[in-house]
Amino acid sequence: PSTPTISLSSARGSICRYSTESSINGCTALLYRNHGNPSQVVQLESMELPSVGAKSVLVKLLAAPINPSDINMIQGTYAILPDLPAVGGNEGVAQILEVGSQVKTLRPGDWVIPRDAGLGTWRTAAVLAEDDVISLPNDIPLFSAATLGVNPCTAFRMLSDFEELKPGDTVIQNAANSGVGQAIIQIAAARGIQTINVVRDRPDLTQLIDRLKAMGASHVIKEETLRQHEMKELFKTCPRPKLALNGVGGKSATELLRHLQVGGSIVTYGGMAKQPVTVPVSALIFKNVKVKGFWVTQWKRTHSQDEGALRGMLDELCSLIRQGKLTAPACSEVGLQDFRKALDTAMQPFSSAKQVLVM
């Protein structure tokens, strides 16, 4: 659908164009009617849009990534599942086209992202409640805005909420090349925190190590190295980590645990290996390690009444983006109609680029 022209009057009071008759009355969306293999159950369909109510906004979606949690939701294996039929996608950036007469915080032209999961971002347009979205500055790169709400927020909270980290302290993480992993590297570097980044061995390992170091990674090592003598050498140059961040589970998580300092924390935010986290008895007794979990959706829900919490974090992240200290992961731009190819690519192991649907 073509973007309606929005006339903004210079007079403050009439800057918003109120409308009961929406200028867009339909959209194209990626819909699924039952759970299963995403490339089989997701369909591109036309949908009607409701009219814009007093407290709602009409938005044009600009870009929306395909994240692992989006795939899990469609498969029916995620912790929260929307009622079916549902529009796919939990993250993305949209532009406000129209606002209802009682909307206070948003105006046409604003960029917004979802406050919570389950909004259904894989569509060209939507009518949403004012409270469903939060505004972002529109002077940051499009892909940074589209991928801000989940992975950088997860990284930010895990680096802030579990251990008091000071410049010079160390964090160790697996899945260091993931969206969360790359955000952890960059946010930690901006705070003067050293990172030990664990990645799986692969053919292009040298290029990957160079790429992560260019982002600010202090050390990048293979999973196998965690069990080798090299670690002793590494800890001559930096302190043992206070915090371990686990997106994998299984053996990888146990190895991270072994290197924590006494009283340190391991925080699990993902389980790519689909294996439980096994904690050696000695780590609990002699090191008194703390074993925690983190889910950004729960954090957002817990803090939904605290307007300053999400706003403050997004402002800080946007400030890092503007300073060039936080970049989006490598993204592949895909048109909505090429969604099957994008879903298949997103499900491949070692995928180096995030698939982003551009409307």
Side-chain angles (χ1 to χ4, degrees):
S2 61
T3 311
T5 52
I6 297 153
S7 53
L8 297 184
S9 150
S10 55
R12 197 60 200 233
S14 55
I15 200 158
C16 300
R17 191 181 88 179
Y18 301 131
S19 160
T20 48
E21 276 308 300
S22 163
S23 49
I24 296 182
N25 47 21
C27 74
T28 317
L30 293 178
L31 220 73
Y32 56 102
R33 289 193 153 70
N34 24 29
H35 296 297
N37 182 340
S39 59
Q40 288 169 349
V41 297
V42 175
Q43 304 288 342
L44 188 63
E45 298 190 25
S46 295
M47 284 172 66
E48 280 188 17
L49 286 177
S51 58
V52 180
K55 291 187 174 175
S56 58
V57 294
L58 171 69
V59 303
K60 172 191 192 299
L61 272 297
L62 303 175
I66 300 176
N67 288 319
S69 52
D70 303 327
I71 301 283
N72 296 151
M73 233 179 221
I74 296 164
Q75 291 166 332
T77 58
Y78 202 59
I80 45 168
L81 299 174
D83 296 333
L84 300 180
V87 177
N90 291 288
E91 188 181 31
V93 61
Q95 186 168 33
I96 303 271
L97 299 181
E98 291 175 26
V99 299
S101 57
Q102 291 174 32
V103 170
K104 300 276 191 295
T105 58
L106 303 167
R107 52 192 51 188
D110 284 355
W111 278 14
V112 292
I113 62 172
R115 283 181 183 269
D116 195 2
L119 206 57
T121 52
W122 299 348
R123 50 175 142 183
T124 53
V127 173
L128 305 168
E130 177 184 17
D131 295 343
D132 285 342
V133 293
I134 186 167
S135 63
L136 284 187
N138 57 10
D139 62 348
I140 61 171
L142 180 69
F143 286 163
S144 291
T147 58
L148 187 64
V150 176
N151 295 333
C153 289
T154 298
F156 184 99
R157 295 267 52 105
M158 292 195 302
L159 287 170
S160 309
D161 296 352
F162 294 93
E163 290 289 338
E164 198 176 317
L165 298 171
K166 300 183 185 69
D169 285 344
T170 308
V171 171
I172 190 168
Q173 66 160 338
N174 54 26
N177 187 39
S178 65
V180 173
Q182 291 180 34
I184 285 164
I185 289 169
Q186 296 175 83
I187 296 166
R191 295 180 180 184
I193 296 162
Q194 302 185 72
T195 51
I196 301 170
N197 300 280
V198 184
V199 295
R200 292 174 295 179
D201 200 0
R202 63 194 71 201
D204 59 347
L205 184 66
T206 320
Q207 290 100 302
L208 174 60
I209 290 173
D210 292 344
R211 202 159 53 76
L212 296 181
K213 286 198 165 170
M215 273 179 208
S218 323
H219 307 276
V220 184
I221 59 175
K222 299 186 297 191
E223 290 275 357
E224 294 72 31
T225 309
L226 283 171
R227 292 184 278 282
Q228 288 161 2
H229 187 72
E230 288 162 67
M231 294 304 287
K232 276 211 170 70
E233 295 303 307
L234 195 153
F235 290 128
K236 288 177 182 169
T237 65
C238 70
R240 282 189 173 267
K242 277 186 179 175
L243 181 64
L245 302 173
N246 166 44
V248 179
K251 280 198 188 76
S252 175
T254 308
E255 293 300 336
L256 293 187
L257 261 167
R258 289 187 202 285
H259 298 296
L260 275 177
Q261 55 173 262
V262 173
S265 297
I266 182 165
V267 181
T268 293
Y269 67 90
M272 304 286 229
K274 298 188 167 68
Q275 297 290 322
V277 175
T278 308
V279 184
V281 169
S282 60
L284 291 172
I285 297 174
F286 303 121
K287 276 193 168 176
N288 193 24
V289 298
K290 302 187 279 290
V291 183
K292 302 278 183 74
F294 182 76
W295 185 30
V296 75
T297 299
Q298 187 57 56
W299 184 91
K300 286 176 178 172
R301 289 178 179 185
T302 304
H303 295 83
S304 60
Q305 299 309 309
D306 176 4
E307 183 50 43
L310 182 58
R311 178 82 276 158
M313 172 167 62
L314 293 177
D315 287 349
E316 218 173 309
L317 290 169
C318 287
S319 166
L320 290 176
I321 291 167
R322 281 203 205 87
Q323 296 169 55
K325 292 180 177 175
L326 178 62
T327 55
C331 292
S332 290
E333 202 172 309
V334 187
L336 206 56
Q337 66 288 348
D338 296 326
F339 71 94
R340 282 192 212 285
K341 192 178 81 191
L343 286 168
D344 284 337
T345 308
M347 292 172 74
Q348 297 306 313
F350 297 114
S351 56
S352 55
K354 189 167 281 292
Q355 304 296 300
V356 180
L357 300 165
V358 175
M359 317 317 171

